[in-house]
Amino acid sequence: MRIDLHTHSVASDGTETPAEVMAAAAAAGLDVVALTDHDTTRGWDEAGAAAQRLGVALVRGVELSCRHAGRSLHLLSYLHVPDHPALLAEAERVRAARQSRARRMVDLLSEDFDLTWADVEEQTGADATVGRPHIADALVALGVVPDRSAAFDELLAAGSRYWVPHHAPELVDAIDLVRQAGGVPVLAHPGAPTRGRAVTEAEVAQLAARGLAGLEVWHRDHTDAEQLRLEALAERFELLATGSSDYHGAGKPNRLGENLTSDDTLTAIEEAGRLEVLRS
Ligand code: AMP
Ligand code: ZN
Ligand code: FE
Ligand code: FE
């Protein structure tokens, strides 16, 4: 089976609606796809209805913004109960913090560019989790940069004078919340160089002991050597190893199905998760 466990829609910073992501997944020949918008499950219902129509199996998920040892890390959760009060409250807190952070970044950018908050709102889906990609899209619309990636290269990069951090839960606390909500916590792109230091062996050991279920090993932000390192760490600490595209529609070069997850790993995720994979 062709299984891709990491995608984004306009519920966060993808460029396609949840139904369009499902249609793109079917067109890419995927059998199973996960929708994992940043800090929200608002795309689940639309994605579920479209997936059933299209004959694609849907893994309902989310990508939670977290912090660990001074850096920003992302935690994927699969098949958790979406209305678990504590997990939902934390996700909503992050979404609110992302909103004020984006406004502060726009304030800083507006000192040098003709950018307003309304320009960013125009690029952001209704009730979407706002992120730097929406600011990037506004800068593209103004002709400041040619595309999202160019905006991320300098203006929006961590370390840029326009960059502002936002609140996010401690990774170990987020792992606890995901487990309480019946989800399967998998660390997203743990060796991506733009996020700061790659996750170390000692950290993986500690996180595995705290309930982490898996590592996203096969991801385009990892070098071949990094994928081998992470695969070995997953094996050593008895963690699942996933592969995914991190598709954002037209917003990123990532193509659906460019990395895949094995059938056995999906079975293990489904056994550990509270919800079922939606199959038509
Ligand atoms: P933020 O969530 O606000 O910190 O913004 C970072 C997010 O932008 C990452 O999680 C990526 O998923 C997303 N992103 C979308 N398009 C790009 C791009 N072209 N380059 C880098 N990051 C991108
Ligand atoms: Zn994203
Ligand atoms: Fe991510
Ligand atoms: Fe992502």
Side-chain angles (χ1 to χ4, degrees):
M1 285 205 294
R2 285 170 56 77
I3 303 165
D4 184 340
L5 292 183
H6 186 161
T7 72
H8 297 266
S9 75
V10 293
S12 62
D13 55 6
T15 61
E16 296 170 350
T17 64
E20 286 166 348
V21 174
M22 295 304 113
L30 294 181
D31 301 291
V32 184
V33 65
L35 182 70
T36 53
D37 277 305
H38 297 284
D39 308 304
T40 187
T41 62
R42 283 169 175 72
W44 281 14
D45 288 350
E46 181 185 321
Q52 300 219 289
R53 238 179 7 250
L54 292 156
V56 181
L58 174 67
V59 177
R60 288 163 288 177
V62 72
E63 184 174 17
L64 298 166
S65 314
C66 301
R67 311 220 142 260
H68 187 64
R71 65 206 191 283
S72 148
L73 285 176
H74 288 170
L75 183 69
L76 295 158
S77 171
Y78 298 115
L79 303 176
H80 63 275
V81 177
D83 54 2
H84 182 274
L87 179 57
L88 187 58
E90 189 52 56
E92 288 303 312
R93 187 167 169 220
V94 172
R95 277 165 47 85
R98 282 171 155 284
Q99 184 87 10
S100 36
R101 172 266 202 144
R103 278 182 177 267
R104 287 178 61 202
M105 286 187 69
V106 168
D107 284 346
L108 292 172
L109 284 158
S110 70
E111 290 169 14
D112 295 320
F113 304 97
D114 192 18
L115 177 75
T116 66
W117 180 245
D119 296 327
V120 175
E121 280 187 313
E122 211 168 295
Q123 303 297 330
T124 310
D127 208 22
T129 303
V130 73
R132 284 177 287 167
H134 302 108
I135 304 175
D137 290 347
L139 292 167
V140 173
L142 288 172
V144 174
V145 287
D147 55 34
R148 268 190 190 183
S149 298
F152 270 90
D153 283 344
E154 276 188 36
L155 296 179
L156 304 181
S160 149
R161 52 184 292 245
Y162 307 111
W163 181 80
V164 174
H166 63 80
H167 159 81
E170 276 298 324
L171 181 58
V172 287
D173 295 332
I175 290 171
D176 280 347
L177 285 176
V178 166
R179 287 292 194 179
Q180 282 170 34
V184 185
V186 173
L187 197 55
H189 41 68
T194 54
R195 321 207 136 258
R197 221 155 30 72
V199 172
T200 64
E201 172 163 357
E203 286 176 318
V204 173
Q206 178 213 5
L207 295 170
R210 287 294 297 263
L212 184 69
L215 300 176
E216 189 178 58
V217 171
W218 299 284
H219 185 287
R220 73 153 59 208
D221 292 357
H222 297 155
T223 62
D224 291 351
E226 182 60 15
Q227 295 184 359
L228 287 172
R229 185 185 76 97
L230 292 169
E231 190 180 6
L233 285 179
E235 203 171 289
R236 188 163 320 141
F237 297 102
E238 295 181 13
L239 296 170
L240 301 169
T242 66
S244 303
S245 64
D246 205 352
Y247 179 70
H248 281 69
K252 261 182 149 178
N254 309 32
R255 300 311 357 144
L256 282 166
E258 67 179 29
N259 288 293
L260 296 169
T261 294
S262 75
D263 296 30
D264 288 352
T265 296
L266 178 67
T267 301
I269 289 173
E270 192 166 17
E271 278 170 3
R274 179 106 25 108
L275 300 183
E276 314 241 280
V277 177
L278 275 184
R279 296 187 176 82
S280 43

